[in-house]
C-alpha cells in the first residue's frame, strides 16, 4: 500500500513565523502535491512537483513556497505565516502524468496561526 | 476554466440508498474519481471510472456517468453509519496528473 506521511497532525504557530510542513511518500512516485482544504471550498492546489527540484504553481501559491530536494520528500513553506493561512493542509502523490494514476493522500496537518 | 460542482450536504437514514451528484465542465477528462474523507483524516480513494464507461459497480458502490450532460453520481446501497463522511468528486485535468476537486458533499447517516 502507498504510504504518504505528513510530519505533524496538528501545529500551532504565531503570525510572522516561518513554517515548514513536511511530506514523505514511500512508493517512488514522480508527482507530489500540496493542497489546502477549507469548509465549503473543497481542495485548492497550492503547488505541485513532477520531479526532483521541479515545482509548479497551483491555483493559490501566494504566501507559500516549496522544496523538493529528494524524490520522496516535498516540503511546503509558509515564508511569514498569517492568520488567513490557518487551514487543513493535505499532501498527495501519484505516478506519472497519465490520467489513470490516482492521487494518494496523507492524513493532513491542521495548522493554526495565532 | 475547469470546474467541478457538488451539493454540500445530504442526510439519509441508515439502510437507505444515498446518491451523491457531481457535475464537471472539462469534456476532455478521461478519468473521474470519488474520494472519501472521514473526520480528521486525509482523502481515501473509493473508486474511479473511465470516461468511455457508463457505469461501474463495486460492492455497495455504483458510479454512473452521463458524458453528454457531464454528470457523475455515486450511489451507496444500504447506507451505514460508518459511511458518514465527506465525499469528493474529482476530474483529471487534460492528462497533466492534476485533479480538479469539487467542494465535497457531507453525508450524514441517521440511525
Amino acid at each position: 500500500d502507498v504510504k504518504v506521511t505528513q510530519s505533524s497532525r496538528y501545529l500551532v504557530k504565531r503570525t510572522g513565523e516561518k513554517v515548514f510542513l513536511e511530506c514523505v511518500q514511500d512508493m517512488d512516485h514522480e508527482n507530489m502535491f500540496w493542497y489546502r482544504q477549507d469548509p465549503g471550498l473543497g481542495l485548492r492546489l497550492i503547488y505541485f512537483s513532477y520531479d526532483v527540484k521541479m515545482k509548479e504553481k497551483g491555483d493559490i501559491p501566494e504566501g507559500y513556497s516549496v522544496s523538493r530536494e529528494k524524490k520522496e520528500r516535498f516540503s511546503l513553506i509558509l515564508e511569514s505565516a498569517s492568520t488567513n493561512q490557518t487551514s487543513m493542509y493535505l499532501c498527495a502523490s501519484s505516478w506519472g502524468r497519465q490520467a489513470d494514476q490516482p492521487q494518494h493522500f496523507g492524513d493532513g496537518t491542521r495548522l493554526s496561526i495565532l | 476554466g475547469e470546474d467541478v460542482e457538488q451539493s454540500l450536504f445530504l442526510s439519509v437514514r441508515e439502510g437507505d440508498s444515498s446518491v451523491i451528484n457531481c457535475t464537471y465542465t472539462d469534456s476532455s477528462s478521461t478519468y473521474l474519481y470519488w474520494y472519501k474523507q472521514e473526520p480528521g483524516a486525509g482523502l481515501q480513494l473509493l473508486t474511479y471510472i473511465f470516461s468511455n464507461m457508463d457505469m461501474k459497480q463495486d460492492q455497495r458502490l455504483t458510479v454512473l456517468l452521463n458524458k453528454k450532460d457531464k454528470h457523475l453520481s455515486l450511489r451507496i446501497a444500504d447506507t451505514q453509519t460508518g459511511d458518514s463522511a465527506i465525499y469528493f468528486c474529482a476530474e483529471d485535468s487534460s492528462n497533466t496528473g492534476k485533479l480538479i476537486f469539487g467542494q465535497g458533499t457531507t453525508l450524514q447517516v441517521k440511525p
Side-chain angles (χ1 to χ4, degrees):
Chain A
D1 265 2
V2 177
K3 185 73 176 168
V4 180
T5 304
Q6 294 184 231
S7 54
S8 305
R9 292 297 304 272
Y10 301 94
L11 207 53
V12 180
K13 296 290 182 181
R14 295 206 172 275
T15 304
E17 280 192 72
K18 191 169 185 176
V19 181
F20 293 85
L21 302 183
E22 306 287 346
C23 175
V24 177
Q25 50 92 4
D26 66 356
M27 283 300 292
D28 203 35
H29 281 173
E30 295 176 5
N31 304 334
M32 296 189 75
F33 305 83
W34 274 107
Y35 297 88
R36 64 177 282 175
Q37 181 182 9
D38 300 288
L41 297 178
L43 274 69
R44 292 181 291 167
L45 183 62
I46 305 171
Y47 266 96
F48 60 105
S49 168
Y50 287 134
D51 204 346
V52 177
K53 298 206 186 288
M54 291 181 65
K55 59 184 179 184
E56 303 272 351
K57 291 181 180 179
D59 300 318
I60 51 163
E62 296 78 17
Y64 302 94
S65 62
V66 289
S67 171
R68 193 162 180 205
E69 296 297 317
K70 293 185 178 180
K71 194 173 185 180
E72 67 269 20
R73 185 180 296 270
F74 194 35
S75 303
L76 180 70
I77 304 157
L78 285 68
E79 298 289 344
S80 177
S82 64
T83 53
N84 64 11
Q85 291 178 309
T86 290
S87 187
M88 170 75 121
Y89 289 86
L90 292 164
C91 175
S93 71
S94 66
W95 285 108
R97 300 192 202 188
Q98 301 87 336
D100 63 343
Q101 302 301 322
Q103 293 182 16
H104 300 268
F105 284 80
D107 286 335
T109 296
R110 189 164 291 281
L111 175 64
S112 296
I113 307 295
L114 303 179
Chain B
E2 299 151 331
D3 197 16
V4 178
E5 297 280 338
Q6 298 176 242
S7 54
L8 294 182
F9 188 76
L10 176 66
S11 181
V12 300
R13 292 225 170 265
E14 192 174 16
D16 288 350
S17 291
S18 308
V19 180
I20 302 171
N21 294 300
C22 171
T23 57
Y24 61 98
T25 58
D26 186 359
S27 57
S28 67
S29 291
T30 49
Y31 282 87
L32 295 129
Y33 299 85
W34 283 105
Y35 283 86
K36 176 184 180 183
Q37 184 182 36
E38 295 180 354
L43 274 66
Q44 168 197 353
L45 178 67
L46 274 182
T47 187
Y48 60 97
I49 187 167
F50 186 47
S51 60
N52 71 353
M53 295 170 65
D54 297 325
M55 185 180 89
K56 181 179 179 182
Q57 189 150 4
D58 184 0
Q59 299 182 335
R60 291 190 298 121
L61 304 179
T62 303
V63 179
L64 295 177
L65 175 59
N66 181 329
K67 274 197 78 173
K68 176 175 166 290
D69 295 337
K70 298 194 186 74
H71 183 266
L72 182 73
S73 67
L74 174 70
R75 178 176 180 270
I76 306 173
D78 186 25
T79 313
Q80 304 297 307
T81 54
D83 295 323
S84 294
I86 304 176
Y87 290 81
F88 289 94
C89 164
E91 63 171 347
D92 68 344
S93 175
S94 306
N95 286 339
T96 61
K98 290 167 56 180
L99 296 181
I100 309 298
F101 286 87
Q103 308 95 313
T105 300
T106 297
L107 175 63
Q108 178 190 67
V109 182
K110 295 180 180 176

